[in-house]
Amino acid sequence: MALADMEHAASGCRDSGFPFSEIIELNVGGQVYVTRHKTLIAVPDSLLWNMFSKKSPKELARDSKGRFFLDRDGFLFRYILDYLRDLNLVLPDYFPEKSRLQREADFFLLRDLAKRLNPRVSKDNSINEEISQSDTEDGAQCCSSGEPLRALSASGAMRSPSLDPRKSGYITIGYRGSYTIGRDIQTDAKFRRVARITVCGKTSLAKEVFGDTLNESRDPDRPPERYTSRYYLKYNFLEQAFDKLTEAGFHMVACSSTGTCAYTSNDPNEDKIWTSYTEYVFCRE
């Protein structure tokens, strides 16, 4: 009876102006977060404030396990949540996702955060203001007087190293393929590519180079300054990966390959299947 009375009282409390529990579970783009209700409503008039103070739980989308669902970038939402906890945010020294995080801040109507993420904002706040490559490409560059900088000619000097935010490092591209060679008297060969190109290296570098073409599903929570060997690309053309690396200032410094041969049957005159695994090491100094 006492338990039933407590449940009835809690239900009545929710119905009388407290529809949400103190602890909220969220599913943001497949990533699960657990936080307090007061954290989500920390910024008045924000999107989350409207969702969790102006609406009832029945009006919000949920996943199959009853968590409140948001169809946004699950990796970047951790920084949104960090900001809501104390209205302050400190990003890693090198954070190439700043322009995307600013877009998320705009979506969640966190105007102060979006303003501080703007690359032209003053460095007096706690957010690291190192401008990423994507930020410089998204906005026009301006000099101290406010006038646009003149574009360099094709033969002009390279950017000053002090203005170039790109970090040095290595990225290794792995590729596994196979092909079939017919009998010795035949000259034709059938090639088949395995649709997976792996990416190994520092997380921040991999995301900077490959962007949205990088599949992070096998290692979604890796911090920007950690290393991973579980990423792979959403396409299967090595030349496309090489073009991306070249555009980002990388050059190949080494490669290695191994191969094996097997027969399709016990008859040595039948087709031979060759499989190979190759790694290409790229460096940016």
Side-chain angles (χ1 to χ4, degrees), residues 162-225:
S162 62
L163 299 177
D164 194 340
R166 300 184 300 182
K167 300 295 184 180
S168 61
Y170 291 84
I171 289 180
T172 300
I173 299 298
Y175 169 76
R176 190 183 305 277
S178 66
Y179 56 93
T180 302
I181 297 180
R183 297 173 182 150
D184 295 337
I185 60 174
Q186 297 177 344
T187 59
D188 62 321
K190 301 176 182 178
F191 291 89
R192 180 175 64 87
R193 293 187 173 184
V194 178
R196 179 162 296 184
I197 300 175
T198 60
V199 178
C200 309
K202 185 176 287 188
T203 302
S204 58
L205 284 179
K207 291 183 178 180
E208 176 202 341
V209 173
F210 298 107
D212 293 337
T213 64
L214 190 68
N215 193 320
E216 308 168 33
S217 61
R218 297 175 61 198
D219 200 0
D221 298 322
R222 181 69 59 175
E225 295 305 309

Side-chain angles (χ1 to χ4, degrees), residues 41-281:
I41 60 173
V43 178
D45 297 323
S46 65
L47 178 68
L48 293 171
W49 181 86
N50 279 287
M51 289 177 59
F52 291 95
S53 65
K54 294 296 185 180
K55 295 184 178 181
S56 68
K58 294 181 180 180
E59 297 178 87
L60 302 180
R62 294 175 181 259
D63 65 9
S64 59
K65 295 187 177 180
R67 307 183 187 98
F68 296 106
F69 179 74
L70 292 166
D71 189 16
R72 300 301 297 180
D73 191 313
F75 173 78
L76 293 177
F77 187 76
R78 68 177 63 189
Y79 301 105
I80 298 293
L81 204 56
D82 283 345
Y83 173 76
L84 292 175
R85 290 187 175 109
D86 55 10
L87 302 184
N88 193 22
L89 179 63
V90 179
L91 297 177
D93 290 338
Y94 179 66
F95 186 73
E97 305 282 358
K98 189 177 294 184
S99 61
R100 295 177 61 186
L101 181 57
Q102 183 181 356
R103 183 178 64 186
E104 294 300 300
D106 288 332
F107 175 83
F108 286 105
L109 302 179
L110 299 172
R111 297 178 178 84
D112 182 64
L113 176 60
K115 181 179 178 181
R116 290 203 273 169
L117 285 167
N118 191 306
R120 299 180 183 85
V121 77
S122 170
K123 295 186 178 182
D124 292 338
N125 60 69
S126 62
I127 296 180
N128 187 293
E129 293 302 326
E130 182 181 357
I131 302 176
S132 67
Q133 181 182 10
S134 58
D135 294 330
T136 58
E137 292 173 351
D138 290 341
Q141 296 179 341
C142 296
C143 62
S144 58
S145 62
E147 298 177 357
L149 293 172
R150 293 182 179 179
L152 292 175
S153 64
S155 60
M158 295 177 61
R159 289 181 296 175
S160 169
S162 62
L163 299 177
D164 194 340
R166 300 184 300 182
K167 300 295 184 180
S168 61
Y170 291 84
I171 289 180
T172 300
I173 299 298
Y175 169 76
R176 190 183 305 277
S178 66
Y179 56 93
T180 302
I181 297 180
R183 297 173 182 150
D184 295 337
I185 60 174
Q186 297 177 344
T187 59
D188 62 321
K190 301 176 182 178
F191 291 89
R192 180 175 64 87
R193 293 187 173 184
V194 178
R196 179 162 296 184
I197 300 175
T198 60
V199 178
C200 309
K202 185 176 287 188
T203 302
S204 58
L205 284 179
K207 291 183 178 180
E208 176 202 341
V209 173
F210 298 107
D212 293 337
T213 64
L214 190 68
N215 193 320
E216 308 168 33
S217 61
R218 297 175 61 198
D219 200 0
D221 298 322
R222 181 69 59 175
E225 295 305 309
R226 299 292 296 275
Y227 290 82
T228 182
S229 60
R230 298 177 62 83
Y231 288 167
Y232 60 93
L233 301 179
K234 297 179 181 179
Y235 49 81
N236 62 343
F237 296 102
L238 280 173
E239 295 77 10
Q240 190 173 351
F242 293 168
D243 286 343
K244 288 279 189 181
L245 287 159
T246 301
E247 291 169 3
F250 284 81
H251 62 277
M252 189 186 301
V253 294
C255 69
S256 63
S257 182
T258 61
T260 59
C261 174
Y263 291 99
T264 58
S265 69
N266 293 328
D267 186 353
N269 294 321
E270 291 298 322
D271 292 349
K272 300 177 182 178
I273 298 179
W274 289 84
T275 60
S276 64
Y277 177 74
T278 306
E279 288 188 337
Y280 305 90
V281 182

